[in-house]
C-alpha cells in the first residue's frame, strides 16, 4: 500500500460525497446535542437547520472535500466535549491530590470552556453554510434521516447499555445461517494411529465441483508408492474456489481412509520454512509451543511427526517462486512413507511449475446452471426462489456477468438477499459498474456489490485495509478498533456500540466480505479472514487516508490518517521523514505479528508528534519502558502493548487516559502489576492483562465499572481473583487462561449477573468446586472449559440460556454433563476435544433439539452415535475426527 491511486469512477470513502454527507450528518447530530446541553441557542438553531435540510446525494469533488473538512471540525468539537464530560464525571470521585494534578491540570473553568466551544461550533457552522451555498442550485434529493447511517453518535454518558458479546459473531445464531445448507462431514477412523486435522467448508454449501473433486482425488489415489514425493498443484484465478476444492478433497472419506496423517497448512505470502514446519507440528502436537523453538528443534519434531507415515499435506495459497526455499522444505518433508502426497493451491502457474511433480490441475469457473444455483442459494432462503420467478430471470443475466466465479456469485447474490422487488434487482443488473472500463484491479462484481452497501458499512469495510493482506483477523479486536475510531454510531442511548459493531460485522459476513469464521480458535479466540480480492476492494475504498509504511515507501501523503508499519526501520529509531509533520494522524499500528518497535525512543517520538491518536498498537515490541508521555494522548481509545517480553511496569500517567476504551497488556510476562489508580480509566471497556501479581487489588479491578470484557492471561503467580469483581455489573465476557496456581473463584462471581461469555482454560489447580462456582451465572450464552485435569462432570441446575459449549482437555470427562440437557432449547454449538476418556454420547443428546453444529475431535476412545440423532432436525454440521 505504498501509494494509493484514486479512481475517478470508484471513489474512496474520502471522495464519495454520499458517504461523507452521511458521516457529517452523524457528527452534526452529535454537535446539536452538545449545543443543546450547553444552552447555545443561536448555534443550535443553525445546526438543526442543516440537519433537517434536504441535501443532494451526488455532489462535486469540490463539495466532497468541503464535507470531509467539516467532518474533521465536527469530530474535533465532539472530542473536546467528550474529554470535558469525562473530567466532570471523574472529578467528584478523585480525592487524591496527585490524581487531580495529573488529570485536571490546565482544565478551563466552565465559562471559559463554553466560550471556546462556542467559537469552535461557529467555525463549523460557517463551513456548513458554505456547503449549503454550493448545493442550493442543484436538484434536491431527500435523505432518510431515520436510517442507521444517520444514527446518534457517542457522547460521554454514564448510561450502561446492554452489551451483546463479540464471541458469537461467527454465526451459529439461526439468523446467520439462513444461507447455510446442511453439511454433514463425519471424519472418523478406527485406527488410533491416524490423524486428520479438520478444516471447515463454506457454510453456503459447495456447488458444481463434484467432477473437479473426483478428478483430483483420482490423481492422488491412482499414483503408486513412488519413492519421490508426489506434489499435485491446483491452479486458478482469484475467487474461483481453489481452497474450497482442496477442502472437499481433504475431507472426502476416500482420502481420509487412505492416509495415516492428513494436515492442512495455510502458507502466507511471505514464504517462511519455519512457519510451515510450525503449522505441521502444531497440527499434531498440541502440547508444544513451536514458536519458542529454534530451527533445528523444529526439523527434529517434523522428522518425528512424519517419519514412516503415509501422509497428505495440503499447502494452501502458495506464492513462493523461489525454488531454493521450496527445495529446502521439500527435503524436510521427504521422510514419510512411500505414497505420501502434497496438494498445493496457487494462483500462479510459475509456482505450480516449480513445486509440481505432475502437470497442474487448472480449475475453471462454474458452469452457468451451477452458477445460477449458487447465486440463488445466497440470494434467497431455501426454496423461496420459486415464488419469485421474475427475479430468477434477472438473476440469469446477473450470473452471466459474474463469469462463473464463486466468490463474485456469493457476494453479488448476498447483496440481494431479502430484496424481493423487481426494481431492486434491476438496479444491480443495470449498474454502470458492469460495463465500466477500469484500469484498477477491482472487479465489476465487487464494485457493484460495494455500491449496495450503506455508508457505515462502506466505512467499516474500508478500515479493514489496515490489516495485512491474507492475515487472520481477531474479531474482537476488529470490533474494538471500529468503536475506537468512531466508525460506529447508535440511533438511541439504549444501544451499545459493540452491539451495533457486531451487527455491522454480521452484515458484512452475510454478504461474504468476510469468510472462514472460526469460533474460539485455540479455544480462546474467534477469528476470520478476508479474501485477497475483497482486501483489494477495501484498499481502494480506503483511499489516501490509509497507508502501510514499509522499506520501499518513498513518500507519504499529508492526508494520511491511519498508518500501519510493516517492515520499515526495524531498529525503531526514526519515523519516516514525510510522516513527522502530520499532526492529524489517528492510528499507528504494527500490523505484522512479531514486528513491533524496538526502542522507547521510537514510541516517544510517535507520542510527541501525533497527539491526536485514537489507536496506538505497539504490540510485539521489545522496549522495556512505556514512556510516561503516553498520558498526554487524551484522545486515545485503544492501546495495545501486548506480547512484550521486556516491559516491567506501566507508567502512572496512563491513568490520565480518560477516553481509553481498550487496554491490551497480555503476554507481558515481566509486567509487575497494574497502576494503582487504574480505576480512573472510567471509559475502559476491554482489559487484557498478564502480570506477575499473586492477586489483584480490589480497587484496581472493582472500580472499572464500565468494563465489558476482562481477559486474564498467563498470570503464573495468580492464586485468587479480586472480590472487586462483584462491582463489574456490566461485565459480559470473562476469560481466565493459563493461570496454573489459581485454585478457586471468589464468591463475588455470583454477582456477575450480566455475564454472557465465560472461558476457563489451562488452570490446572482450579476445580470449580464441582461446577458450583458457575451455577449462578444464568445469563451465560457461551462457556469454554479447557485444560482442567481434575474437573469431573457434575450435575448443576443452571445455564438455561447456553448457546455454545466447548469442552477441551478434560481427562476425567467420560460423557456429556447431564446439566447440558437443561439447555436443550437453546444450545446451538457443542465441541468436545482432547478429552482422552470421553467414551459416549448420551441417549438424551436427542433432546438438544436446537443443536446446529456438533464437533468431536481428538477423543481417542471409540463410540457410536446414539440412535436418536435423527431427532436433531436443526443439525447442519457434524464433525468427528481421530
Amino acid at each position: 500500500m505504498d501509494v494509493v491511486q484514486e479512481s475517478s469512477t470508484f471513489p474512496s470513502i474520502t471522495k464519495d460525497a454520499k458517504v461523507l454527507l452521511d458521516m457529517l450528518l452523524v457528527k452534526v447530530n452529535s454537535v446539536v446535542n452538545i449545543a443543546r446541553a450547553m444552552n447555545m441557542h443561536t448555534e443550535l438553531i443553525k445546526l438543526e437547520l442543516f440537519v433537517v435540510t434536504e441535501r443532494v446525494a451526488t455532489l462535486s469533488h469540490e463539495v466532497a472535500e468541503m464535507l470531509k473538512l467539516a467532518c474533521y471540525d465536527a469530530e474535533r468539537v465532539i472530542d473536546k466535549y467528550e474529554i470535558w464530560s469525562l473530567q466532570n464525571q471523574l472529578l467528584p470521585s478523585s480525592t487524591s491530590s496527585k490524581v487531580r494534578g495529573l488529570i485536571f491540570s490546565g482544565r478551563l473553568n466552565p465559562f471559559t470552556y463554553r466560550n471556546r466551544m462556542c467559537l469552535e461550533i461557529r467555525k463549523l457552522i460557517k463551513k456548513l453554510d458554505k456547503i449549503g451555498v454550493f448545493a442550493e442550485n442543484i436538484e434536491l434529493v431527500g435523505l432518510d434521516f431515520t436510517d442507521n447511517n444517520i444514527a446518534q453518535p457517542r457522547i460521554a454518558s454514564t448510561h450502561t447499555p446492554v452489551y451483546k458479546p463479540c464471541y458469537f459473531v461467527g454465526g451459529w445464531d439461526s439468523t446467520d445461517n439462513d444461507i447455510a445448507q446442511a453439511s454433514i462431514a463425519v471424519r472418523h477412523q478406527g485406527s488410533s494411529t491416524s490423524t486428520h486435522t479438520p478444516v471447515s467448508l463454506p457454510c453456503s454449501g459447495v456447488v458444481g465441483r463434484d467432477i473437479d473433486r473426483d478428478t483430483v482425488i483420482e490423481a492422488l489415489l491412482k499414483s503408486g508408492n513412488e519413492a519421490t514425493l508426489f506434489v499435485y498443484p491446483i491452479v486458478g484465478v482469484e475467487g474461483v474456489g481453489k481452497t474450497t476444492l482442496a477442502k472437499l478433497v481433504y475431507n472426502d472419506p476416500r482420502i481420509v481412509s487412505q492416509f495415516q496423517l492428513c494436515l492442512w497448512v495455510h502458507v502466507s505470502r511471505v514464504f517462511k520454512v519455519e512457519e510451515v514446519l510450525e503449522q505441521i507440528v502444531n497440527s499434531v502436537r498440541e502440547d508444544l509451543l513451536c514458536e519458542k523453538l529454534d530451527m533445528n528443534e523444529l526439523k527434529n519434531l517434523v522428522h518425528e511427526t512424519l517419519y514412516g507415515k503415509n501422509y497428505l499435506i495440503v499447502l494452501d495459497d502458495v506464492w513462493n517462486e523461489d525454488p531454493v526455499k521450496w527445495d529446502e522444505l521439500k527435503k524436510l518433508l521427504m521422510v514419510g512413507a512411500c505414497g505420501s502426497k502434497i496438494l498445493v493451491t496457487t494462483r500462479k502457474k510459475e509456482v505450480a511449475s516449480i513445486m509440481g511433480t505432475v502437470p497442474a490441475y487448472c480449475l475453471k469457473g462454474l458452469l452457468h446452471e451451477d452458477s445460477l444455483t449458487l447465486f440463488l442459494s445466497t440470494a434467497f432462503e431455501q426454496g423461496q426462489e420459486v415464488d419469485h420467478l421474475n427475479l430468477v430471470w434477472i438473476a440469469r443475466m446477473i450470473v452471466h456477468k459474474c463469469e462463473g466465479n464463486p466468490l463474485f456469485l456469493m457476494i453479488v447474490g448476498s447483496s440481494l438477499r431479502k430484496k424481493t422487488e423487481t426494481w431492486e434487482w434491476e438496479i444491480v443488473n443495470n449498474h454502470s459498474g458492469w460495463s465500466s472500463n477500469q484500469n484498477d484491479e477491482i472487479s465489476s462484481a465487487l464494485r457493484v456489490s460495494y455500491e449496495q452497501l450503506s455508508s457505515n458499512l462502506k466505512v467499516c469495510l474500508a478500515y479493514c485495509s489496515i490489516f495485512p493482506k491474507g492475515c487472520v483477523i481477531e474479531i474482537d479486536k476488529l470490533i474494538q478498533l471500529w468503536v475506537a475510531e468512531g466508525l460506529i454510531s447508535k440511533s438511541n442511548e439504549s444501544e451499545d456500540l459493540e452491539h451495533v459493531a457486531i451487527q455491522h460485522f454480521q452484515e458484512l459476513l452475510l454478504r461474504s466480505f468476510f469468510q472462514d469464521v472460526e469460533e474460539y480458535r485455540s479455544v480462546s479466540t474467534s477469528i476470520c479472514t478476508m479474501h485477497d480480492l475483497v482486501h483489494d476492494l477495501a484498499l481502494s475504498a480506503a483511499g489516501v487516508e490509509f497507508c502501510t509504511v514499509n522499506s520501499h515507501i518513498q513518500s507519504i501523503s499529508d492526508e494520511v490518517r491511519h498508518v500501519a508499519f510493516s517492515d520499515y526501520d526495524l531498529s525503531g529509531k526514526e519515523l519516516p521523514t514525510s510522516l513527522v509533520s502530520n499532526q492529524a494522524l489517528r492510528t499507528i499500528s504494527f500490523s505484522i505479528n512479531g514486528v513491533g518497535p524496538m526502542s522507547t525512543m521510537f514510541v516517544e517520538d510517535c507520542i510527541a508528534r501525533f497527539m491526536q491518536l485514537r489507536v496506538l498498537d505497539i504490540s510485539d515490541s521489545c522496549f522495556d519502558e512505556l514512556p510516561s508521555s503516553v498520558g498526554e494522548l487524551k484522545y486515545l481509545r485503544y492501546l495495545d502493548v501486548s506480547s512484550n517480553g521486556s516491559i516491567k511496569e506501566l507508567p502512572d500517567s496512563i491513568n490520565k487516559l480518560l477516553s481509553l476504551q481498550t487496554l491490551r497488556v497480555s503476554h507481558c510476562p515481566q509486567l509487575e502489576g497494574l497502576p494503582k489508580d487504574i480505576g480512573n480509566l472510567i471509559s475502559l471497556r476491554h482489559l487484557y492483562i498478564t502480570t506477575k501479581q499473586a492477586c489483584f487489588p480490589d480497587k484496581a479491578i472493582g472500580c472499572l465499572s464500565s468494563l465489558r470484557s476482562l481477559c486474564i492471561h498467563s498470570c503464573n503467580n495468580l492464586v485468587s481473583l479480586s472480590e472487586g469483581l462483584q462491582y463489574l455489573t456490566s461485565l459480559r465476557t470473562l476469560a481466565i487462561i493459563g493461570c496454573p496456581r489459581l485454585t478457586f473463584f471468589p464468591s463475588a462471581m455470583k454477582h456477575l449477573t450480566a455475564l454472557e461469555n465465560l472461558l476457563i482454560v489451562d488452570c490446572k489447580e482450579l476445580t470449580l468446586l464441582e461446577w458450583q462456582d458457575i451455577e449462578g451465572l444464568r445469563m451465560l450464552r457461551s462457556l469454554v472449559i479447557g485444560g482442567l485435569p481434575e474437573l469431573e462432570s457434575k450435575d448443576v441446575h443452571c445455564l438455561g440460556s447456553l448457546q455454545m459449549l466447548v469442552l477441551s482437555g478434560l481427562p476425567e470427562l467420560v460423557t456429556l454433563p447431564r446439566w447440558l440437557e437443561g439447555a436443550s432449547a437453546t444450545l446451538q454449538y457443542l465441541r468436545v476435544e482432547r478429552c482422552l476418556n470421553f467414551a459416549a454420547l448420551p441417549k438424551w443428546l436427542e433432546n438438544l433439539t436446537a443443536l446446529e453444529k456438533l464437533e468431536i475431535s481428538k477423543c481417542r476412545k471409540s463410540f457410536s452415535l446414539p440412535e436418536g440423532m435423527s431427532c436433531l432436525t436443526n443439525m447442519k454440521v457434524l464433525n468427528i475426527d481421530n
Side-chain angles (χ1 to χ4, degrees):
M1 200 188 343
D2 297 0
V3 179
V4 176
Q5 298 294 335
E6 293 280 1
S7 169
S8 59
T9 54
F10 183 71
S12 69
I13 55 173
T14 59
K15 303 291 185 183
D16 188 328
K18 176 62 169 64
V19 172
L20 290 168
L21 182 57
D22 287 342
M23 293 170 61
L24 178 59
L25 286 169
V26 170
K27 298 180 188 304
V28 172
N29 263 305
S30 187
V31 179
V32 165
N33 286 343
I34 294 172
R36 183 179 292 116
M38 303 190 75
N39 296 316
M40 298 178 184
H41 300 295
T42 303
E43 290 75 14
L44 179 61
I45 293 171
K46 294 179 179 179
L47 289 167
E48 288 178 331
L49 181 62
F50 181 84
V51 172
V52 300
T53 301
E54 293 178 327
R55 293 283 186 265
V56 295
T58 303
L59 298 170
S60 68
H61 286 297
E62 187 175 5
V63 176
E65 185 66 21
M66 294 167 59
L67 288 168
K68 183 172 72 171
L69 295 175
C71 280
Y72 292 152
D73 282 357
E75 185 180 74
R76 190 177 302 112
V77 171
I78 295 167
D79 287 341
K80 288 183 177 180
Y81 181 78
E82 185 176 70
I83 295 295
W84 174 266
S85 299
L86 289 170
Q87 289 176 339
N88 286 338
Q89 186 178 333
L90 185 62
L91 189 59
S93 59
S94 296
T95 55
S96 166
S97 60
K98 182 179 179 180
V99 172
R100 285 176 180 270
L102 278 173
I103 297 177
F104 301 108
S105 58
R107 184 174 181 270
L108 300 174
N109 65 62
F111 180 76
T112 305
Y113 172 76
R114 184 185 181 281
N115 287 340
R116 291 197 178 182
M117 286 296 291
C118 193
L119 292 174
E120 293 277 357
I121 291 177
R122 285 173 184 170
K123 285 170 57 180
L124 172 62
I125 290 172
K126 285 183 179 180
K127 284 196 168 110
L128 300 180
D129 288 342
K130 192 173 181 181
I131 292 170
V133 170
F134 269 83
E136 65 183 4
N137 294 323
I138 307 175
E139 182 182 357
L140 297 181
V141 179
L143 294 175
D144 181 3
F145 290 95
T146 62
D147 186 81
N148 285 335
N149 297 349
I150 315 172
Q152 190 69 19
R154 175 172 57 91
I155 294 293
S157 169
T158 57
H159 180 74
T160 304
V162 176
Y163 172 59
K164 182 177 179 180
C166 302
Y167 289 108
F168 253 81
V169 294
W172 296 115
D173 213 336
S174 59
T175 57
D176 294 326
N177 270 296
D178 292 339
I179 65 173
Q181 299 175 357
S183 174
I184 309 299
V186 181
R187 303 187 301 277
H188 183 82
Q189 292 195 45
S191 172
S192 62
T193 62
S194 54
T195 300
H196 185 282
T197 305
V199 294
S200 59
L201 284 167
C203 63
S204 59
V206 180
V207 176
R209 290 305 188 195
D210 291 352
I211 295 176
D212 300 297
R213 177 200 60 205
D214 292 343
T215 302
V216 174
I217 289 175
E218 183 181 354
L220 291 174
L221 297 182
K222 79 175 182 180
S223 56
N225 296 327
E226 299 91 344
T228 57
L229 188 60
F230 181 88
V231 183
Y232 191 28
I234 299 174
V235 178
V237 299
E238 294 176 294
V240 78
K242 301 180 294 296
T243 298
T244 299
L245 174 60
K247 287 181 178 181
L248 281 174
V249 171
Y250 183 87
N251 287 328
D252 192 278
R254 291 169 288 178
I255 291 294
V256 175
S257 61
Q258 175 70 20
F259 296 97
Q260 289 177 278
L261 197 62
C262 293
L263 303 174
W264 186 282
V265 177
H266 178 77
V267 183
S268 63
R269 280 176 167 256
V270 180
F271 189 89
K272 294 182 179 179
V273 174
E274 300 95 315
E275 292 182 357
V276 175
L277 299 182
E278 283 179 9
Q279 288 193 58
I280 290 173
V281 176
N282 281 334
S283 297
V284 182
R285 298 283 301 274
E286 296 185 352
D287 57 321
L288 293 173
L289 293 174
C290 288
E291 64 267 19
K292 296 183 179 180
L293 303 179
D294 61 30
M295 188 62 174
N296 288 329
E297 291 173 313
L298 277 174
K299 289 179 180 179
N300 292 334
L301 284 170
V302 168
H303 186 276
E304 179 184 324
T305 300
L306 301 181
Y307 183 73
K309 293 186 176 68
N310 181 26
Y311 68 75
L312 170 69
I313 297 178
V314 177
L315 298 178
D316 182 40
D317 197 20
V318 180
W319 287 74
N320 172 58
E321 296 182 43
D322 184 349
V324 175
K325 290 184 178 180
W326 165 238
D327 287 342
E328 180 186 358
L329 176 62
K330 186 177 179 180
K331 288 176 183 177
L332 296 173
L333 300 181
M334 292 179 65
V335 295
C338 291
S340 294
K341 308 289 195 304
I342 293 180
L343 184 63
V344 175
T345 70
T346 179
R347 67 192 62 172
K348 309 188 75 160
K349 293 181 180 179
E350 296 81 1
V351 173
S353 176
I354 291 170
M355 298 182 67
T357 58
V358 293
Y361 183 77
C362 296
L363 186 62
K364 306 297 184 182
L366 296 175
L367 298 175
H368 183 77
E369 288 305 312
D370 291 330
S371 297
L372 182 63
T373 300
L374 179 59
F375 183 88
L376 295 178
S377 72
T378 57
F380 293 105
E381 295 182 15
Q382 189 171 6
Q384 187 188 44
E385 64 272 15
V386 298
D387 299 324
H388 301 280
L389 295 180
N390 59 319
L391 302 182
V392 174
W393 178 253
I394 302 173
R396 287 185 176 275
M397 294 184 281
I398 297 174
V399 163
H400 179 73
K401 298 169 183 176
C402 291
E403 300 178 336
N405 189 298
L407 177 66
F408 298 162
L409 290 162
M410 293 176 64
I411 289 180
V412 179
S414 59
S415 73
L416 290 166
R417 191 165 182 80
K418 298 182 180 178
K419 294 182 179 180
T420 57
E421 298 294 334
T422 302
W423 64 267
E424 294 175 304
W425 285 58
E426 289 288 6
I427 286 177
V428 173
N429 185 40
N430 298 325
H431 196 283
S432 60
W434 294 113
S435 56
S436 58
N437 183 20
Q438 297 298 320
N439 294 322
D440 56 46
E441 299 179 355
I442 306 305
S443 74
S444 299
L446 291 180
R447 189 189 316 277
V448 171
S449 300
Y450 173 81
E451 291 299 335
Q452 308 309 307
L453 296 176
S454 59
S455 294
N456 45 17
L457 291 181
K458 287 181 180 179
V459 172
C460 289
L461 180 64
Y463 187 81
C464 294
S465 64
I466 198 92
F467 295 101
K469 183 179 287 189
C471 81
V472 171
I473 300 173
E474 183 185 339
I475 298 173
D476 282 353
K477 180 174 183 176
L478 176 62
I479 297 296
Q480 291 158 14
L481 286 171
W482 279 349
V483 173
E485 298 283 11
L487 307 183
I488 306 300
S489 55
K490 52 187 180 179
S491 57
N492 58 70
E493 282 302 311
S494 64
E495 281 191 304
D496 186 72
L497 289 168
E498 286 89 348
H499 176 67
V500 176
I502 291 168
Q503 290 177 329
H504 289 357
F505 177 86
Q506 289 175 331
E507 181 65 25
L508 290 169
L509 175 65
L510 188 64
R511 292 171 180 257
S512 300
F513 288 108
F514 293 112
Q515 60 185 23
D516 298 332
V517 169
E518 295 182 32
E519 292 171 296
Y520 296 110
R521 185 193 190 192
S522 302
V523 184
S524 61
T525 307
S526 297
I527 55 97
C528 69
T529 62
M530 176 176 277
H531 195 281
D532 286 355
L533 288 174
V534 178
H535 190 276
D536 290 339
L537 173 69
L539 197 57
S540 293
V544 296
E545 287 201 354
F546 289 76
C547 178
T548 293
V549 178
N550 54 46
S551 56
H552 308 294
I553 200 161
Q554 299 298 319
S555 63
I556 302 173
S557 168
D558 56 6
E559 295 183 61
V560 165
R561 294 293 182 272
H562 310 279
V563 168
F565 285 89
S566 177
D567 60 351
Y568 180 89
D569 187 26
L570 295 183
S571 63
K573 295 179 180 178
E574 295 181 359
L575 285 166
T577 305
S578 55
L579 188 64
V580 293
S581 60
N582 188 335
Q583 298 182 0
L585 208 62
R586 298 291 192 270
T587 305
I588 289 181
S589 173
F590 284 82
S591 55
I592 308 298
N593 288 338
V595 182
M598 301 175 68
S599 72
T600 302
M601 184 189 306
F602 181 88
V603 181
E604 285 180 338
D605 202 11
C606 289
I607 293 171
R609 295 181 183 278
F610 311 128
M611 299 298 291
Q612 304 295 317
L613 283 177
R614 269 68 172 165
V615 169
L616 180 58
D617 183 347
I618 45 177
S619 54
D620 292 297
S621 304
C622 57
F623 56 82
D624 56 7
E625 183 180 359
L626 183 65
S628 60
S629 57
V630 71
E632 302 304 317
L633 299 176
K634 60 182 179 180
Y635 302 116
L636 194 66
R637 296 171 183 167
Y638 182 100
L639 176 60
D640 190 344
V641 197
S642 57
S643 300
N644 183 322
S646 301
I647 191 168
K648 295 182 178 180
E649 63 178 5
L650 297 175
D652 288 337
S653 62
I654 206 170
N655 300 322
K656 296 168 62 177
L657 302 177
L658 300 187
S659 296
L660 194 65
Q661 299 168 348
T662 300
L663 176 60
R664 289 175 173 250
V665 286
S666 59
H667 302 286
C668 298
Q670 301 304 316
L671 190 65
E672 296 291 343
L674 295 172
K676 181 178 62 174
D677 293 316
I678 195 172
N680 290 327
L681 301 180
I682 55 178
S683 298
L684 197 65
R685 302 164 75 88
H686 310 284
L687 177 60
Y688 299 74
I689 52 175
T690 298
T691 77
K692 297 169 72 172
Q693 291 171 288
C695 60
F696 298 124
D698 292 348
K699 290 184 178 180
I701 298 295
C703 295
L704 299 172
S705 58
S706 295
L707 215 57
R708 301 303 197 273
S709 58
L710 173 61
C711 179
I712 302 169
H713 204 299
S714 303
C715 295
N716 294 327
N717 298 325
L718 189 68
V719 296
S720 65
L721 298 177
S722 168
E723 288 290 342
L725 281 175
Q726 62 185 304
Y727 302 111
L728 304 183
T729 54
S730 298
L731 196 67
R732 302 298 187 264
T733 298
L734 175 61
I736 304 168
I737 302 168
C739 300
R741 297 186 183 181
L742 186 65
T743 56
F744 65 93
F745 281 161
S747 59
M749 283 286 290
K750 63 177 177 287
H751 297 292
L752 302 180
T753 54
L755 196 68
E756 296 181 348
N757 305 292
L758 178 61
L759 295 87
I760 309 168
V761 180
D762 292 336
C763 301
K764 299 183 206 177
E765 301 298 323
L766 191 62
T767 61
L768 290 184
L769 298 178
E770 298 180 345
W771 301 80
Q772 295 174 13
D773 290 311
I774 62 174
E775 189 164 357
L777 307 178
R778 300 185 180 275
M779 293 300 293
L780 276 184
R781 295 172 63 247
S782 59
L783 175 62
V784 177
I785 303 289
L788 307 186
E790 304 301 322
L791 187 66
E792 300 178 16
S793 57
K794 300 290 184 179
D795 288 347
V796 292
H797 306 284
C798 66
L799 308 182
S801 301
L802 198 65
Q803 297 180 22
M804 172 187 286
L805 175 65
V806 177
L807 301 172
S808 177
L810 306 178
E812 299 299 321
L813 191 73
V814 295
T815 188
L816 295 177
R818 184 77 194 204
W819 54 260
L820 191 57
E821 195 174 5
S824 60
T826 58
L827 191 70
Q828 299 172 19
Y829 176 38
L830 172 61
R831 185 165 95 226
V832 182
E833 63 183 17
R834 294 187 296 112
C835 296
L836 302 185
N837 289 304
F838 188 81
L841 286 170
K843 184 179 184 305
W844 53 260
L845 183 72
E846 66 187 48
N847 298 330
L848 304 181
T849 54
L851 195 64
E852 296 181 4
K853 184 174 183 180
L854 172 62
E855 294 183 319
I856 301 176
S857 174
K858 297 180 176 62
C859 298
R860 295 179 182 175
K861 293 196 174 181
S862 320
F863 57 86
S864 58
L865 298 176
E867 295 180 1
M869 287 289 289
S870 59
C871 298
L872 303 179
T873 55
N874 287 314
M875 182 78 74
K876 294 182 172 66
V877 179
L878 171 62
N879 290 336
I880 301 175
D881 77 90
N882 197 26

